[in-house]
Amino acid sequence: MAEHLGLHTVGDLLHHYPRRYEERGQLTHLADLPMDEHVTVVAQVADARLHTFASSRAPRGKGQRLEVTITDGSGRLQLVFFGAGVHKPHKELLPGTRAMFAGKVSVFNRRLQLAHPAYELLRGDAEETVETWAGALIPIYPATAKLESWKIGKALQTVLPSAQEAADPLPESLREGRGLVTLSEALLKIHRPHTKADIEEARARLKWDEAFVLQVALARRRHADAQLPAVPRRPRPDGILAGFDDRLPFTLTEGQRKVSEEIFADLATDHPMHRLLQGEVGSGKTMVALRAMLAVVDAGGQAAMLAPTEVLAQQHHRSVTEMMGELAQGGMLGGAENATKVVLLTGSMGAAARRQALLDLATGEAGIVIGTHALIEDKVQFHDLGLVVVDEQHRFGVEQRDALRGKGKQPPHLLVMTATPIPRTVAMTVFGDLETSVLDQLPAGRSPIASHVVPAADKPHFLARAWERVREEVEKGHQAYVVCPRIGDEEDGAKAKRKSPEDEAEKRPPLAVLDTAEQLARGPLAGLRVEVLHGRMQPDDKDAVMRRFAAGEVDVLVATTVIEVGVNVPNATVMVIMDADRFGVSQLHQLRGRVGRGSAPGLCLLVTEMPEASPARQRLNAVASTLDGFELSRIDLEQRREGDVLGQAQSGTRSSLRMLAVIDDEEVIAEAREEATRIVAADPDLERLPALRTALDALLDEEREQYLEKG
């Protein structure tokens, strides 16, 4: 159990909840078995036949194969057993016998089958009458090939009596106020329900536990952070921020103003700001972040902006220095009087430039530094680090944030930006230690983006038309992106692993940048200037291609998702995404945000060979039908499981949520957050709630505790 399911203690096992329940007599219908999954079915043997055949192992026709057909009224399924494995089932699986069967569903000769399934006969012991047997709810546990559901079930029956001793983390008043059952009762009911109402009661209670203990952990983090000292940073009325605002050729949107005010209020307090800034691609997050950085420079501090890639760091550096103009030329001729220096720090810089940048940071000459992870190295010393801005949080590890935090004399303020819209409850759960600000309106002058699905297999002429559209845009003086899922110089294609049955249906590997670029340049886009960009190019080459594209010297850029974040070329108006079904919803949304950044309308074409009715096509239709990232992120979450959203992606532990569905249980999470905040405010060390502390310690094993610590 420890090896295959990570269950080490009795408590772990008690919290390994059934995935669903079989009612005997009403089964997973054989008619709708999923492919390639471990299933448990309850069915009756219709017939069993033993065949002999010749094989290399048994050349004289001595090989034996037992074929058993089972049925549940909705459909039939073939079971096969081979070799020495046929004897026991041949004796036991007689027509009319009922049993539970578990195995992996595969296809053989176009029929579904289970090869060598494990099985458990349903005989009904003497004391069990047929009625109770048929009416009972059989828990079906999340299982693996090595551990079938009923083995887990038997182990649970052994430890269930000890559920009585479970320490209940919910404060009594809270539990009674909400009419929730006790923890031991919930555990008994979830593993041995007599009725469906039992299951509902148990689930309601266990969901609360999960939401509440997690929110208490987050509330304690927030409480601890609020105790940390920080230097308040207030902008001067005649400082660099005022100078910057005077130079702005446009007015800030209502949203930008509101969010800036929230940030300035946080910066003025004497404990560190921890704020998450969510905003659609192009909603002007960089502008808000830059104003926050200038406010800190005004107050005599330094600000660091961390980008996930060199290309992005260089781009931020370019756009920040352009936006600031002479204000970025501190200490230089022609610089404004209250100017500062803006330095770039990345791993591939030359030694001399790097030495100068490090010197400017140590002396305080540079008020703003923009860089990659290189900023976190030991050698980098700040004069007085006041604010850290992290771009694209989901690509930035917790350890790095922590290392950077250690560079300030006191903990610096922290602003985390993401262009991936996160539904409110996920933000409350994943980033529960951050306050959230949302920029939801696009600045004036941004153009709408039209999105269309191009079904290349059903309607090949649509694809031809897509390339014509690209040519038309280029003729108008615009530029285009073509995005492909892979690069194309991988050895033996091992990287392109198949996942879903949809992929099985069409064996070809995902389209590659190098092949596609060549085909386009020779074919539909002949005569246009086509170049490639991908993650395995040398940083200098990448940058050179990006610069040529930005300067308009390249018409069509064929790229991988390296362009997903932050590439800003207002003249690019059309994006063609090949094999769009191979990308996630939020990734497509991010990619699409690269076009329509100028005054000309954008066009995004999602090319796919998936059949019309497939889930992949429905996903693409959803992306094409809305530009609202929050709406899409909900769709995205409903399709993935929450486990990916929480923790796992961040810290590699298995998801701590077993019962809670982040999207469906919005109210539970919101209420739990309120209760948790209240309880922690009154009793930060939880001295009056020992059982809650125990539950916290269990949830926050070393690894998770550190993950939250580093926040």
Side-chain angles (χ1 to χ4, degrees), residues 424-442:
R424 192 174 77 103
T425 43
V426 181
M428 267 198 264
T429 324
V430 185
F431 299 113
D433 56 339
L434 301 177
E435 299 295 331
T436 309
S437 297
V438 178
L439 275 177
D440 45 13
Q441 60 192 120
L442 292 185

Side-chain angles (χ1 to χ4, degrees), residues 608-641:
T608 175
E609 295 189 357
M610 283 297 163
E612 190 141 8
S614 61
R617 271 287 279 283
Q618 288 158 9
R619 216 170 51 228
L620 295 180
N621 291 339
V623 175
S625 66
T626 174
L627 290 171
D628 178 347
F630 288 95
E631 181 51 37
L632 288 173
S633 65
R634 283 192 87 99
I635 294 170
D636 197 17
L637 267 182
E638 280 158 10
Q639 298 193 329
R640 294 184 305 153
R641 288 195 340 281

